[in-house]
Amino acid sequence: MAADDLDEFESSEPARGGQFGPYYLHELINRGGMADIWLATNPKGEAVAVRRLHEGSGLHFLAKRRFVRGCEILSQIHNHEYVIGYVEHGKISGTLYLVMEYVEGSNLKQLFARGDPLLAENIGNILIDMALALEHVHDSGFMHLDFKPENILVTHNASLRLVDFDLAQPRPEKPKKMWKNPGTPAYMAPEQLLRQPIDHRADIFAYGVAAYEVLTNQKPFAGDTPKEILEKQLDRTLGFSAPRELNADIPAALERTIIKCLERDMERRYPHMSILVRDLQAALYV
């Protein structure tokens, strides 16, 4: 869940399973600041994932609006192999909910944190599939705006799903200043942290941060506050290391691709995900 101004609304109520409308909630998969995700079954006995907005969040207009917007956007773009599948969304007994494809696996952050061999054995395909998922989001007319390893699920056979579209926005024709500026600071582009107009290239920067982190097990611009992160983004002498300095196994062409994603000036980044995908495939010989 995004580290934003809704964290204060995390519910203190215990999570309870059981019957929820036509679905039966079996096991709590994840408890975030705004919603819970459950392993559930539908009336046919098929496994699904049910995401429910916390009761406290439901009283907050912004939380409610983001949740519903994320559901609506997912309903428009889920027809892609690397985006989580959408079933339905609505309200049951006053609680907003989203039903999605159930994916058994771990998120990308969990994989590299524990050094899972699944990641090492499939890193090239995972990096490309991440980019293909983001390319589909952009081609569908949206920006994700919370692209990070926690929002990328990887199955036991290394199939990938992009999740969590609560912060997504329509992709503007030209950079646009956002009314609110939520997100996860470590993955936000300089223009986001400076609250300047943004476009889909903010996602391309976030992709670069995620790829750098997966390959090196470090963030390119570490910091405890958005101010510290921004200072390092704007002044690379404060600690930024080229990926190959931390992991010599990274191909030089892949390093160049990641660094181009991380350009502080959006005009110097990749203009479109399709060009990034092309360079990734060339660098990784896929």
Side-chain angles (χ1 to χ4, degrees):
M1 188 57 53
D4 60 30
D5 52 357
L6 294 178
D7 287 346
E8 62 187 283
F9 291 93
E10 182 166 2
S11 174
S12 59
E13 292 295 318
R16 295 185 178 89
Q19 200 68 39
F20 178 67
Y23 301 98
Y24 193 88
L25 309 182
H26 295 275
E27 178 185 350
L28 183 65
I29 301 172
N30 186 42
R31 186 166 176 79
M34 203 170 75
D36 293 334
I37 301 179
W38 290 82
L39 166 60
T41 47
N42 64 17
K44 296 180 180 179
E46 299 165 331
V48 293
V50 174
R51 184 170 185 244
R52 299 194 304 177
L53 189 70
H54 291 160
E55 291 185 11
S57 297
L59 298 174
H60 190 261
F61 175 75
L62 184 56
K64 197 172 181 178
R65 187 173 69 176
R66 285 182 184 168
F67 185 93
V68 172
R69 183 181 63 213
C71 295
E72 292 173 345
I73 290 174
L74 179 60
S75 74
Q76 297 177 55
I77 68 172
H78 73 102
N79 57 334
H80 190 274
E81 60 181 319
Y82 303 132
V83 173
I84 195 73
Y86 167 89
V87 178
E88 67 167 4
H89 73 279
K91 184 184 289 187
I92 293 176
S93 301
T95 299
L96 290 169
Y97 74 96
L98 165 67
V99 183
M100 303 171 287
E101 166 192 20
Y102 172 66
V103 175
E104 188 172 350
S106 302
N107 69 48
L108 195 53
K109 181 176 181 178
Q110 293 168 332
L111 287 182
F112 69 72
R114 66 177 181 243
D116 196 307
L118 179 72
L119 178 58
E121 293 165 6
N122 298 278
I123 187 63
N125 285 330
I126 287 173
L127 289 172
I128 290 170
D129 294 349
M130 287 164 54
L132 288 169
L134 203 47
E135 179 185 31
H136 173 70
V137 174
H138 293 176
D139 288 350
S140 300
F142 297 98
M143 308 178 289
H144 188 278
L145 297 184
D146 200 21
F147 190 88
K148 57 184 179 181
E150 293 95 316
N151 285 335
I152 298 163
L153 301 183
V154 183
T155 69
H156 298 312
N157 63 356
S159 179
L160 179 150
R161 302 289 189 281
L162 178 61
V163 302
D164 198 344
F165 293 85
D166 286 355
L167 302 187
Q169 292 281 347
R171 177 180 167 181
E173 293 184 5
K174 59 182 181 179
K176 177 183 177 181
K177 188 173 178 62
M178 296 290 122
W179 176 63
K180 284 283 187 177
N181 195 44
T184 307
Y187 302 90
M188 294 170 77
E191 61 270 20
Q192 289 176 284
L193 293 173
L194 289 166
R195 295 184 176 268
Q196 296 174 344
I198 66 169
D199 63 13
H200 63 282
R201 288 170 290 184
D203 278 345
I204 293 176
F205 186 93
Y207 175 91
V209 175
Y212 184 108
E213 186 176 14
V214 168
L215 289 164
T216 69
N217 207 27
Q218 294 185 29
K219 290 184 174 68
F221 312 107
D224 294 327
T225 66
K227 182 180 178 181
E228 289 179 9
I229 294 166
L230 179 61
E231 286 175 349
K232 291 181 179 179
Q233 289 177 351
L234 299 180
D235 185 352
R236 303 294 173 97
T237 66
L238 295 177
F240 176 77
S241 299
R244 282 165 56 84
E245 294 176 16
L246 302 173
N247 180 355
D249 292 332
I250 298 173
L254 178 57
E255 178 181 73
R256 290 193 296 271
T257 299
I258 293 170
I259 290 175
K260 187 173 179 67
C261 292
L262 294 174
E263 288 284 355
R264 59 190 172 194
D265 181 353
M266 69 168 73
E267 297 295 338
R268 296 172 63 91
R269 290 177 217 146
Y270 285 98
H272 302 289
M273 284 301 301
S274 58
I275 303 174
L276 170 55
V277 169
R278 179 203 66 192
D279 283 2
L280 284 170
Q281 291 171 334
L284 295 165
Y285 308 105
V286 175

